[in-house]
Amino acid sequence: MFVEVAFPIPLHQTFHYLAPNGTGAAVAVGQRVVAPFGRSKSVGYVVRLTERSPVKAMKPLVKILDPVPLIGLDGVELARWLADRYGCTWGEALACVLPRNLRPTREGGLTPLRRPRVCGDPGLDSRFRGNDVAMYSGSDPKPTLSTQQEAICREIIEAASRREAAVFLLHGVTDSGKTEIYFRLFTQVLSQGRQAIFLVPEIALTPQFIERTHLRFGTEVVGVWHSHLSAGDRSRTWARVAHGAIQLMVGARSAVFAPFPALGAIVVDEEHEPTYKQEEKPRYHAREAAIERTRRAGAVTILGSATPSVESYWKAQTGAYRLLELPSRVDELAFPAVHIVDRRAEGPVSRQPVFSPPLRQALEDRLAHGGQVILFINRRGFAPFVVCRGCGWSARCPSCGVTLVWHLDTKAPAGEEGVLRCHWCPHRQELPEACPQCRNPKLRLRGIGTQRVERELRAQFPTATVARLDRDAAKSRKVYRQVYEDVKSGRCQVLIGTQMVSKGLDFPRVTLVGVIDADTALYLPDFRAAERTFQLVTQVAGRAGRSPRGGEVIVQTAAPDHYALVAAARHDYRTFYDQEIELRRTLGYPPFRRLVNVLVRGARESPVTEETERLAQGLKGALEQSGRDPAGWAVLGPVPAAHARIRKEHRWQVVLKADDNAVTHALAYLRTVRPSSDVKIAIDVDPQDLL
Ligand code: ADP
Ligand code: ZN
Ligand code: ZN
């Protein structure tokens, strides 16, 4: 018997070994093993046991690390699929399906897996115990389903009972009762002795959300998975999944790989969220991995969203997914009125106040009448640009070339109150006294960030109580929780924040939502800019719709006629989708073509441009030779990346737009590429953006 081993390295090859000498331990697929590799030893994964091997002088394995494999046979095969689809190696994909601390790089760097404590351990991150439990205010663990919910549940549960690998797209506005449907499905699956995975974006994993699942299913069977877990919690949770102690895994992206023995369902809530795509190798999309996994397991997938991704909705339109719609809210509250404020009417952008007259008026009104307000701005810091009035110079990062953001620094002495920071690397510097180019002392702070909104609000409404939530303010879950409690209790009247305030927060007293600048995402040079803007505005607007007192949303923009904003203001997904899908069709963007973004980076520019040129030619050549219809693919570039220099490295890219078959050919070619030693190549299949 020979053992085939894949190593987590960028080498598209597996290696054969003999079973270890005289240990008597059984080798099994999915185990981590130590094997001789080159002149030393390395940790790899058993991917196959075979009777025959072409290799002559074979060495024995040194050691078997896991008596019980940490990855099942299905996990090993899913990893193969990940590798093929996303252009990484089998070993790299295998490392990805394991929790971070169980990924081997070298011998000795491993966290041993302890046996699970099956009884007594509620599997709950200790930080979520105590106060958080009391924070959940829901009281009706099991409402009677509406007729619509009933019909949808029946359809999904029938598919689950038949062990059909069906994919459902559940398009339902916020508060339409989607989660209740997920819960009914989980109950059904668990009662059949199978298990389920509930994927949510990291940001939605709030204590009150976790508590809701705990209340319904009991803390014993629910596992929680997010990026703040300690190594110990990760190992314990993983082992409890593999041993069947946990039956429902609630978690962010990588929970999709939870090693359940008999998976019955995966729910991907907020399926449109970009955070489901991993931005490091392997660059997989958890939604696609979920669909592939359930397809192999004979399980159902539900993709849920109030604003489905254009790709998923198209697949539902064309029959690949089954479309289910929940158009109204459970409580039948009306949607909030959305007003678009045209900022062009207020003169030059640089002179505009943070609050337009209608927003200021609404703020005054709400604060006078005890209402709460959420103000959304998708940029942290005080001002995203510092420019010279004399010559147009702007402050840029010496390593990245991007503009520096001016941040207030509350700890600095008065007068010297801020610092310029790069959002791409750790660079910081003081604001120069005068323009380094023309010595003009008149440097101007331009644009709006969360801190500036906060300062402006405190200046104009000195008695208002204000809190801010962004990556700078909420460094820990503790701060996040404090702000949450302050808003919940009414101690805080105005909450200012980035995406962090756009979901997972449910405050019935919020009667006004202000979108300070809807255009920040609109003009990015990216094919998903309109989609993202539509999703964000819809999502943020939803924060105002939870009060019987009614809610109002004010959206400030310089593009009041843009179809994404007009449709968002009308709560009209379908009109947005119909326009967007035609654009995608015309331009040959997903879902009509797939994209592969090949990024080359390196310290010196000429090797980078040369390699990119070689790649572009190589890709064209491979596709021409493959005999694929040239109408089915296009190689764009080489061009400098949108961020052409990050952390002192030059970045160039080639983008392939192609159908499925051509993508497969392209990936086969890319596997053969051996880049020169002064550059690195990153392949992103189905990228979220081209920035
Ligand atoms: P969504 O996931 O679409 O935002 P939820 O399932 O969370 O919606 O439902 C919103 C609120 O309505 C929750 O408090 C939930 O318990 C409640 N709810 C859901 N379905 C019903 C129902 N059929 N009758 C009464 N309340 C319901
Ligand atoms: Zn100047
Ligand atoms: Zn930088």
Side-chain angles (χ1 to χ4, degrees):
M1 181 80 84
F2 305 114
V3 186
E4 191 175 336
V5 175
F7 293 96
I9 51 173
L11 201 56
H12 292 274
Q13 195 187 337
T14 54
F15 296 84
H16 288 196
Y17 296 94
L18 298 167
N21 285 333
T23 57
V27 193
V29 170
Q31 279 170 332
R32 293 173 307 170
V33 293
V34 181
F37 190 72
R39 259 178 261 158
S40 66
K41 292 177 288 188
S42 253
V43 178
Y45 305 88
V46 177
V47 293
R48 237 185 318 244
L49 302 174
T50 92
E51 299 284 333
R52 269 179 298 185
S53 170
V55 185
K56 293 270 148 50
M58 222 179 300
K59 293 181 179 162
L61 291 174
V62 177
K63 195 158 54 174
I64 294 172
L65 290 174
D66 315 308
V68 179
L70 296 182
I71 309 173
L73 191 58
D74 54 342
V76 173
E77 280 166 10
L78 187 66
R80 180 72 251 176
W81 175 84
L82 280 176
D84 290 342
R85 167 140 185 159
Y86 295 104
C88 66
T89 71
W90 201 354
E92 288 170 331
L94 280 158
C96 163
V97 308
L98 276 180
R100 203 175 302 135
N101 51 301
L102 297 174
R103 289 172 202 167
T105 42
R106 62 201 143 77
E107 199 188 356
L110 290 168
T111 317
L113 187 71
R114 267 173 274 152
R115 296 293 295 179
R117 279 181 291 155
V118 174
C119 8
D121 178 0
L124 183 55
D125 179 349
S126 58
R127 276 165 300 184
F128 293 152
R129 290 201 200 109
N131 287 343
D132 298 333
V133 174
M135 271 164 57
Y136 179 73
S137 52
S139 52
D140 50 349
K142 214 164 185 178
T144 314
L145 294 181
S146 68
T147 326
Q148 273 182 332
Q149 281 173 313
E150 187 79 58
I152 288 174
C153 268
R154 205 178 312 122
E155 192 171 342
I156 296 170
I157 286 175
E158 261 173 32
S161 320
R162 284 198 304 266
R163 315 217 159 190
E164 212 180 298
V167 181
F168 296 93
L169 175 62
L170 180 54
H171 175 208
V173 296
T174 310
D175 282 333
S176 60
K178 297 187 294 297
T179 309
E180 191 53 44
I181 290 171
Y182 309 152
F183 281 4
R184 300 293 166 114
L185 170 66
F186 296 150
T187 306
Q188 162 74 11
V189 164
L190 265 54
S191 75
Q192 293 178 323
R194 296 196 289 168
Q195 305 88 35
I197 297 170
F198 186 6
L199 293 183
V200 295
E202 180 89 32
I203 204 170
L205 274 169
T206 53
Q208 69 276 13
F209 172 83
I210 294 167
E211 189 53 25
R212 191 172 165 193
T213 11
H214 278 145
L215 274 180
R216 182 64 71 89
F217 296 96
T219 49
E220 309 79 36
V221 302
V222 176
V224 179
W225 196 253
H226 56 74
S227 64
H228 294 272
L229 289 184
S230 68
D233 284 335
R234 277 172 195 274
S235 306
R236 262 191 301 282
T237 305
W238 213 248
R240 295 178 76 241
V241 169
H243 290 81
I246 288 173
Q247 286 147 42
L248 175 61
M249 184 69 122
V250 184
R253 187 172 60 223
S254 58
V256 72
F257 301 122
F260 284 125
L263 187 69
I266 303 182
V267 166
V268 186
D269 195 30
E270 314 277 6
E271 63 86 31
H272 62 276
E273 276 295 317
T275 53
Y276 281 123
K277 178 91 196 248
Q278 174 154 294
E279 290 302 342
E280 59 198 60
K281 198 175 176 184
R283 293 177 160 77
Y284 71 94
H285 198 300
R287 178 183 65 214
E288 306 310 315
I291 291 169
E292 180 61 20
R293 188 168 175 195
T294 51
R295 189 182 70 74
R296 290 158 181 260
V300 297
T301 301
I302 304 184
L303 312 177
S305 178
T307 52
S309 63
V310 170
E311 283 115 306
S312 293
Y313 201 79
W314 185 76
K315 286 187 178 161
Q317 292 295 307
T318 50
Y321 303 161
R322 284 151 71 175
L323 182 63
L324 304 167
E325 308 221 49
L326 273 178
S328 51
R329 297 171 48 140
V330 170
D331 49 23
E332 281 165 5
L333 283 179
F335 296 116
V338 180
H339 303 292
I340 293 182
V341 174
D342 183 356
R343 301 225 78 182
R344 290 172 308 185
E346 292 171 57
V349 179
S350 57
R351 305 262 170 76
Q352 281 170 7
V354 172
F355 308 121
S356 61
L359 181 54
R360 199 194 139 82
Q361 185 64 48
L363 274 164
E364 255 165 39
D365 179 74
R366 256 16 89 91
L367 292 173
H369 295 97
Q372 279 181 313
V373 180
I374 290 180
L375 295 177
F376 171 80
I377 172 80
N378 202 14
R379 275 190 298 222
R380 64 201 168 89
F382 189 91
F385 315 100
V386 172
V387 295
C388 167
R389 282 188 66 185
C391 70
W393 169 90
S394 62
R396 287 176 183 270
C397 175
S399 322
C400 305
V402 297
T403 55
L404 293 169
V405 180
W406 198 70
H407 282 252
L408 283 174
D409 184 352
T410 44
K411 290 191 202 87
E416 270 310 312
E417 50 185 350
V419 64
L420 284 169
R421 279 167 51 182
C422 175
H423 281 189
W424 288 81
C425 80
H427 177 82
R428 285 163 170 259
Q429 70 180 60
E430 306 241 303
L431 190 65
E433 299 274 316
C435 171
Q437 206 162 270
C438 75
R439 308 314 306 163
N440 188 328
K442 287 197 177 116
L443 297 182
R444 287 283 177 265
L445 300 176
R446 285 273 163 81
I448 305 173
T450 45
Q451 288 182 324
R452 182 161 164 204
V453 177
E454 182 179 358
R455 151 102 44 115
E456 201 64 26
L457 193 86
R458 288 186 193 278
Q460 293 190 32
F461 303 93
T463 57
T465 45
V466 181
R468 177 163 62 86
L469 265 189
D470 55 32
R471 251 201 288 154
D472 302 312
K475 284 224 167 74
S476 68
R477 292 204 151 211
K478 200 167 140 228
V479 175
Y480 182 88
R481 212 150 60 203
Q482 185 59 49
V483 171
Y484 176 86
E485 276 173 38
D486 287 350
V487 181
K488 187 103 193 161
S489 68
R491 273 196 298 276
C492 165
Q493 292 172 290
V494 185
L495 177 62
I496 298 164
T498 53
Q499 275 111 313
M500 271 190 197
V501 302
S502 70
K503 56 182 75 80
L505 300 167
D506 175 6
F507 303 121
R509 267 179 295 190
V510 171
T511 51
L512 172 65
V513 166
V515 177
I516 301 294
D517 183 357
D519 308 346
T520 50
L522 208 50
Y523 297 117
L524 292 176
D526 180 44
F527 73 101
R528 262 186 249 267
E531 180 178 357
R532 292 267 181 267
T533 300
F534 177 82
Q535 287 162 349
L536 258 172
V537 172
T538 306
Q539 200 111 46
V540 183
R543 301 303 101 197
R546 304 179 153 232
S547 164
R549 294 198 263 170
E552 184 186 10
V553 181
I554 294 182
V555 178
Q556 304 189 142
T557 174
D561 304 321
H562 193 286
Y563 65 97
L565 292 178
V566 172
R570 295 192 185 136
H571 310 280
D572 184 356
Y573 177 81
R574 197 46 211 254
T575 301
F576 165 73
Y577 170 82
D578 287 342
Q579 301 203 37
E580 183 66 17
I581 199 78
E582 282 318 312
L583 270 175
R584 300 275 181 99
R585 192 194 307 274
T586 311
L587 300 173
Y589 276 119
F592 299 99
R593 286 281 182 271
R594 289 177 60 197
L595 300 175
V596 179
N597 187 12
V598 186
L599 185 83
V600 181
R601 60 194 170 85
R604 287 188 305 122
E605 189 159 24
S606 60
V608 171
T609 52
E610 282 158 23
E611 188 70 53
T612 321
E613 183 59 45
R614 202 159 39 239
L615 274 169
Q617 293 311 326
L619 269 175
K620 280 181 198 151
L623 286 163
E624 274 157 13
Q625 267 182 12
S626 75
R628 305 293 325 155
D629 177 2
W633 57 270
V635 173
L636 314 175
V639 289
H643 296 288
R645 231 177 121 233
I646 296 291
R647 291 175 185 253
K648 297 195 172 133
E649 286 186 320
H650 298 272
R651 296 146 56 96
W652 280 65
Q653 67 190 159
V654 177
V655 176
L656 172 71
K657 265 187 191 177
D659 56 23
D660 268 332
N661 272 315
V663 167
T664 308
H665 276 285
L667 289 178
Y669 161 74
L670 290 170
R671 269 197 283 277
T672 66
V673 171
R674 298 280 170 270
S676 72
S677 60
D678 25 4
V679 303
K680 291 207 172 63
I681 298 180
I683 298 167
D684 192 353
V685 180
D686 304 329
Q688 280 301 293
D689 54 57
L690 295 174
L691 297 177

